[in-house]
Amino acid sequence: MFSPQPVGYVKSPYENTKQVPKGFGVKHDAEGILEILPQFEAGLTDIEGFSHLFVLWVFDRSDGFELLGTPPIDDRPHGVFATRSPRRPNPIGLTVVQLLRREGASLHVRGLDMLDGTPILDLKPYLSSIPSEKLRRGWLAEAEARKTRQK
Amino acid sequence: MFSPQPVGYVKSPYENTKQVPKGFGVKHDAEGILEILPQFEAGLTDIEGFSHLFVLWVFDRSDGFELLGTPPIDDRPHGVFATRSPRRPNPIGLTVVQLLRREGASLHVRGLDMLDGTPILDLKPYLSSIPSEKLRRGWLAEAEARKTRQK
């Protein structure tokens, strides 16, 4: 395998997980900065041409993992690989952000859902999407439907 | 940080990188299996409800990294974070696959671009897409345009 190393850190308005919006149809439009370390800045060359980026990061304030867990937006347990739970065998998070602008090694982005100080592992250009009519969203769609019926 | 551990391995038709299709508008429709290790199988609970998955995996046959590199589909160098180069500071790959069916701990998928035997780090449900009209694809779109003019 390999030894993960931070290539930078997230500057985010969220200090703790309670502040991060959760739930159905939640829209992450928090703005912040991906601060890339100086020794990796050359790796950002030409990144400003992309409107959206994948950010891979570490759930650094999460301990251990559980294979089955009940997410905050449902009352039933689901497998960790069918959720975005932080308690994963490899505690790696994945977020798609919109790149607003670059200033040197600082990427100003919209759509953060990470905590302030989160270590960044990797950035990749977001190149294509699955058309929404081809997406099935499993237990999440079912949980949404149940909640809607209860209203 | 953390110590990466494989949660499974990819069974892919590709034995070496030369066999993996590259280039503009390339469509990855190779089928194969994500073989999850028995001790992580419970983490797959309810995953069959999702049509598409993010797969995080390790470039285990790549050594070191380079911050600037020329991808096979262009004749100009770009920063590693603006490409999908395997030679990354953290050698993590990301692929979106279509989930065809689940058989126990085996996920039959379409859209592989990894080599046979690649270690899997994580699976996550693919929940939403950026509408294509909102995507900008930077140097990739420019390189496409140059090639088209040359024809």
Side-chain angles (χ1 to χ4, degrees):
Chain A
M1 304 296 279
F2 65 100
S3 291
Q5 56 176 324
V7 299
Y9 294 91
V10 179
K11 212 166 162 54
S12 155
Y14 303 127
E15 295 286 339
N16 63 65
T17 53
K18 290 200 184 88
Q19 297 173 312
V20 183
K22 294 179 190 71
F24 296 126
V26 65
K27 213 173 160 298
H28 291 286
D29 48 17
E31 295 187 13
I33 304 177
L34 310 178
E35 296 188 321
I36 303 304
L37 296 170
Q39 62 268 37
F40 296 110
E41 183 175 343
L44 297 176
T45 306
D46 296 336
I47 204 167
E48 51 270 38
F50 294 91
S51 59
H52 293 76
L53 304 174
F54 288 115
V55 186
L56 275 64
W57 47 277
V58 183
F59 286 105
D60 64 325
R61 272 149 281 185
S62 176
D63 268 328
F65 66 89
E66 57 178 6
L67 293 177
L68 272 175
T70 302
I73 48 177
D74 201 1
D75 50 11
R76 304 176 187 197
H78 305 289
V80 66
F81 300 126
T83 74
R84 292 170 45 109
S85 164
R87 307 198 58 214
R88 320 184 71 79
N90 294 289
I92 306 176
L94 174 64
T95 302
V96 176
V97 298
Q98 182 186 357
L99 179 58
L100 302 174
R101 70 182 185 280
R102 174 182 168 194
E103 285 172 12
S106 296
L107 302 179
H108 294 255
V109 299
R110 178 179 293 143
L112 293 178
D113 60 356
M114 317 79 144
L115 300 181
D116 193 50
T118 292
I120 300 168
L121 290 173
D122 202 2
L123 304 173
K124 297 176 192 288
Y126 184 107
L127 294 176
S128 66
S129 291
I130 309 294
S132 60
E133 68 272 15
K134 292 199 176 165
L135 276 187
R136 280 188 302 116
R137 299 184 310 128
W139 65 264
L140 191 59
E142 291 164 26
E144 282 176 13
R146 275 202 308 279
K147 297 260 163 152
T148 308
R149 279 198 302 272
Q150 283 164 13
K151 273 176 193 162
Chain B
M1 304 297 278
F2 65 99
S3 291
Q5 56 176 325
V7 300
Y9 294 90
V10 179
K11 212 167 163 55
S12 154
Y14 303 126
E15 295 286 338
N16 62 66
T17 53
K18 291 201 184 87
Q19 297 173 314
V20 183
K22 293 179 191 70
F24 295 126
V26 64
K27 215 173 159 295
H28 292 287
D29 48 17
E31 295 187 11
I33 304 177
L34 309 179
E35 296 188 320
I36 304 305
L37 296 169
Q39 62 268 39
F40 296 109
E41 182 174 344
L44 297 176
T45 305
D46 296 336
I47 204 166
E48 51 271 38
F50 295 90
S51 59
H52 294 76
L53 303 174
F54 288 115
V55 186
L56 275 63
W57 46 277
V58 183
F59 286 105
D60 65 325
R61 272 150 280 185
S62 177
D63 268 326
F65 66 91
E66 56 177 6
L67 293 177
L68 273 175
T70 301
I73 49 176
D74 201 0
D75 50 11
R76 303 177 186 195
H78 304 288
V80 66
F81 300 127
T83 74
R84 291 170 45 109
S85 163
R87 307 198 58 213
R88 319 184 71 78
N90 293 289
I92 306 176
L94 174 64
T95 303
V96 176
V97 298
Q98 181 186 0
L99 178 57
L100 300 173
R101 68 183 186 281
R102 174 182 167 192
E103 285 173 10
S106 297
L107 302 179
H108 294 255
V109 299
R110 178 180 295 143
L112 293 178
D113 60 356
M114 316 80 144
L115 300 181
D116 193 49
T118 291
I120 300 168
L121 290 174
D122 203 3
L123 304 172
K124 297 176 192 290
Y126 183 107
L127 295 175
S128 66
S129 291
I130 309 294
S132 60
E133 68 272 17
K134 293 198 176 166
L135 275 188
R136 279 187 303 117
R137 299 185 308 129
W139 66 263
L140 192 59
E142 292 164 26
E144 282 176 14
R146 275 201 308 278
K147 297 261 164 150
T148 307
R149 279 197 303 270
Q150 283 164 13
K151 270 176 198 163

